[in-house]
Each structure stands twice: as C-alpha cells, then as structure tokens.
Amino acid sequence: MHAQRTEDVSAGESAGETPAAGAPADSVLVGGRGGLGHLTLNRPRAINALDLEMIRALHLTLDRWENDTDVDVVLLDGAGERGFCAGGDVRALHEMVTAGRVDEVHAFFREEYALDHCIAISRKPVIAIADGVCMGGGIGLAGHAAIRIVTERSKLAMPETRIGFTPDVGGSWLLGRAPGRIGEYLALTGGTMDAADAVYAGFADHMVPTAHLEALYEALENRADPSSPTELVLLFDETPERSRLEDAREWIDDAFAAEDVFGILDRLRRRPEPEARETAELLASSAPTALAVTLEAVRRARELPSLRAALAQEYGLVMWFAFTQPDLVEGIRAQVVDKDRSPSWSPARLEDLPAERVAEAFAYAPDPALW
C-alpha cells in the first residue's frame, strides 16, 4: 500500500500531510500537489475500517475540493499493507443497535451513503486504489469512483450475508449490473473477487501492479496537460488473467437464474461441478432471511434508474434489518465479537422463513428517509 506523501494540496499551502478536519487524530490524511488532492484512510491496524468521524472528514474534504480551483483530480487510497478498507466498523454498529442508539444508527448509514453518492457524482474525477482488502464500506468508496484501480493483491467482496445482513453502500447497484447472474452469486455467497474478477464483474476498471503504483502517483502529480487521468492510468495498466468467474458462468448463470433461494439450492445440487455443490453447502448454512431479501434486492436494483435510487432501497432494508431482525446483531456477535463462528439464525431453516418476510422488508419505511 502506498504511503501518504508529505506534500500540500494547493500551491499556497505549506508542505506536509495533515489529518482531515473532523477526523480523530490522523484517521484520514490529506495531501497532494500539482492539482492532485490525496486522501488516505489511515487506520491500518483495523484495515482502515470506516467510522462516522472518518466518513464526515472525507465528505467535508471532498466538498471543499469540489470548489477548489487548485484541485482537479482526487486520489483515494488506504494506509498499510493489508488493504484499502475492510468496510464499516461493524463492532461499533453492534454496540449502537444493542444499546438502542437509534439516532446514531441512522446517522452512520445516512452519512455513509451520502459520501458514496458524493464520490459517484463528483465533478473532480475520483481515482480509487483498492489495493489489498476492499469489502463492504470499502466498496462503497472505491466502487463508485470515476477510475477504479485494483492490484494483484486486491480482494474485493460484499460479504454482508455472512453476518445475516444485506449488501449496501450501493453494492446492490454494482451487483445488479454484473454479467449474467454473477451479481446474485456474489451477493448471496459473499464471495471474494481478485483483480481479474473485479474487472470482469464491473467493480474495477484497471489492474495496476503494486510495483507500478509509485510511478502512477508521480505521474498523476506531475501530469502534463492535456493528459487525462485515464490516459495516465492506462500507461501502467496491465491486462489481468482470465477471471475464474467468467469460467464459472455456465453453472452460476444456470443456478442463480432460479426464481428463489429454494430453486437456486436445487439447481446447485444438481450441477456436476464441485464448486456448485460447495456453494449449495455454504448457502444452506447462511441466514435464510438475509439470502431471500438479498436476492430480491439485487434483482430490484437491476431495474432501478440510478445509484441514488439503489441507495434509498438499501437504506430501507438496512434499517429493517437493524431494528426488526435479530440476525444482524447475532451475525456480528458470532463473526466479530465472540468469534465463535456459530450464529443462531432466526429462522434457522429456509423452510421456516415466513412467506411474507421479503415483502415486509421492502415495505419498511425508515424515518427519517435517506434523501
């Protein structure tokens, strides 16, 4: 992972990296030069997991740069060797929900989604480097950037169903636009993508080897007009190997085109491929509510007109999970807090899932609304 440079954002400032306004200590670093604004997530021990202060600091800086004539390109990366961003701070979410701190839950998701949308619509191109781990909330930051870069050590995923939850931060929007039924597969399994998979699935645009990142940073800082950021990135881009997802399209498209989770499991179990049967075993142990709601969410997102609309749909689902369903708290407990990896889902079996459960989820009207 690239270390933050000790350079200024605009010509009138003194050199030196600085914490972003509103961020505790130095959890978000601000730097750059030559028209390049540089934001670095800086909680490497937590793989740069996002908390509300970081979200606010990022949004505040991006808003300031939107009208700063000294900044015309934004670079977003993460500190440390392990990853760009492991996602939102789910341990903190667990504490907020169990303590009944409703306003804080609303604030976290509303402000996180507003930041993701801000990145997507920014007039200053945002270049995100999703080196290493990039999951959940990390996808929300990198997945909607104008130029999305992965490396040979990138590991991308939307693993929310593994904690009895559903993909959010605009993840359903990206999943709904993946080739074939790759979106349903990735959403329900929480499967991890490497660089080739991420480019193939539409979660990334370019693969740049880590050995070339330093030169890319320098080129972005010292670029000569009229070189565009994309033209510069292409100087360092390498074609990734063929995606394993592309090779698995036959069984994935067949199984995940089924009408519901029951049908998907049935088709997976009938397939001759060992990977299909392994996927069936994984889904059979997952939270039935999360699977059924997530399947519908990806399919509805496929028909939505915009990222903004997808975020609004996700927000309603997230609030529904947080305030009406025990699975989210239980999933975080099992995977993150106690780490016993033995969640007790409610219901535990797909056969016991109430027929109206999915409709209830989509009918939920959060107050306040997202937009």
Side-chain angles (χ1 to χ4, degrees):
M1 198 69 61
H2 179 73
Q4 172 75 8
R5 295 180 179 279
T6 55
E7 293 155 341
D8 64 342
V9 176
S10 60
E13 297 175 354
S14 59
E17 64 183 30
T18 58
D26 55 356
S27 61
V28 175
L29 299 177
V30 182
R33 74 172 184 185
L36 179 73
H38 190 168
L39 287 167
T40 298
L41 308 179
N42 191 38
R43 290 182 68 199
R45 292 182 63 183
I47 319 183
N48 303 313
L50 290 171
D51 57 26
L52 186 55
E53 289 77 14
M54 293 170 71
I55 290 166
R56 287 173 173 169
L58 289 165
H59 205 161
L60 189 68
T61 306
L62 288 171
D63 280 349
R64 177 165 58 87
W65 284 348
E66 189 77 355
N67 298 306
D68 187 340
T69 55
D70 289 321
V71 176
D72 48 38
V73 179
V74 176
L75 181 64
L76 179 60
D77 63 3
E81 297 297 319
R82 297 168 66 195
F84 168 68
C85 177
D89 190 336
V90 294
R91 186 183 291 269
L93 175 60
H94 182 273
E95 293 172 0
M96 285 188 278
V97 173
T98 55
R101 302 195 322 251
V102 174
D103 290 346
E104 292 180 47
V105 177
H106 280 287
F108 179 86
F109 286 102
R110 292 183 79 206
E111 296 192 40
E112 183 182 23
Y113 293 7
L115 171 61
D116 298 334
H117 192 252
C118 168
I119 290 171
I121 65 172
S122 173
R123 289 186 290 110
K124 309 290 177 76
V126 177
I127 303 170
I129 300 187
D131 184 22
V133 173
C134 177
M135 298 184 179
I139 298 286
L141 298 179
H144 308 303
I147 301 173
R148 306 165 300 172
I149 296 171
V150 287
T151 73
E152 76 280 359
R153 59 186 182 187
S154 291
K155 296 179 180 178
L156 282 70
M158 293 300 295
E160 286 77 10
T161 57
R162 298 188 182 184
I163 57 168
F165 202 31
T166 192
D168 65 328
V169 296
S172 67
W173 175 256
L174 297 171
L175 291 161
R177 279 146 188 79
R181 300 293 177 169
I182 294 295
E184 284 97 329
Y185 165 77
L186 291 171
L188 269 63
T189 64
T192 300
M193 295 173 273
D194 62 15
D197 297 332
V199 172
Y200 177 72
F203 279 71
D205 304 304
H206 306 280
M207 199 286 277
V208 175
T210 51
H212 294 171
L213 288 181
E214 190 74 23
L216 173 60
Y217 285 114
E218 291 175 0
L220 289 168
E221 288 177 342
N222 302 306
R223 64 192 183 285
D225 292 334
S227 294
S228 71
T230 298
E231 288 172 327
L232 288 172
V233 170
L234 286 171
L235 295 176
F236 305 96
D237 173 277
E238 290 190 5
T239 302
E241 308 239 335
R242 183 178 170 89
S243 165
R244 64 180 179 81
L245 292 176
E246 186 173 5
D247 290 333
R249 276 287 299 279
E250 182 181 348
W251 67 265
I252 288 176
D253 285 359
D254 171 54
F256 285 86
E259 182 179 355
D260 54 24
V261 180
F262 280 113
I264 290 172
L265 283 168
D266 181 60
R267 293 191 189 187
L268 286 170
R269 288 166 175 154
R270 293 172 182 270
R271 295 291 311 186
E273 296 85 356
E275 296 91 345
R277 293 192 292 277
E278 290 167 9
T279 299
E281 291 179 16
L282 171 65
L283 296 184
S285 66
S286 299
T289 300
L291 293 181
V293 171
T294 295
L295 179 64
E296 181 69 9
V298 171
R299 291 178 173 173
R300 289 196 185 200
R302 191 172 281 139
E303 305 302 322
L304 291 175
S306 64
L307 170 63
R308 183 183 175 91
L311 287 166
Q313 174 176 280
E314 291 171 352
Y315 181 69
L317 295 177
V318 164
M319 294 302 114
W320 180 80
F321 271 102
F323 299 133
T324 75
Q325 300 299 303
D327 281 353
L328 174 58
V329 167
E330 172 62 9
I332 298 174
R333 180 208 64 76
Q335 299 294 344
V336 180
V337 179
D338 297 336
K339 298 183 179 179
D340 58 28
R341 308 289 190 262
S342 299
S344 297
W345 304 126
S346 180
R349 302 188 318 145
L350 193 61
E351 291 82 358
D352 297 327
L353 187 70
E356 68 278 5
R357 181 64 54 85
V358 172
E360 288 176 3
F362 285 89
Y364 186 82
D367 184 21
L370 177 59
W371 308 117

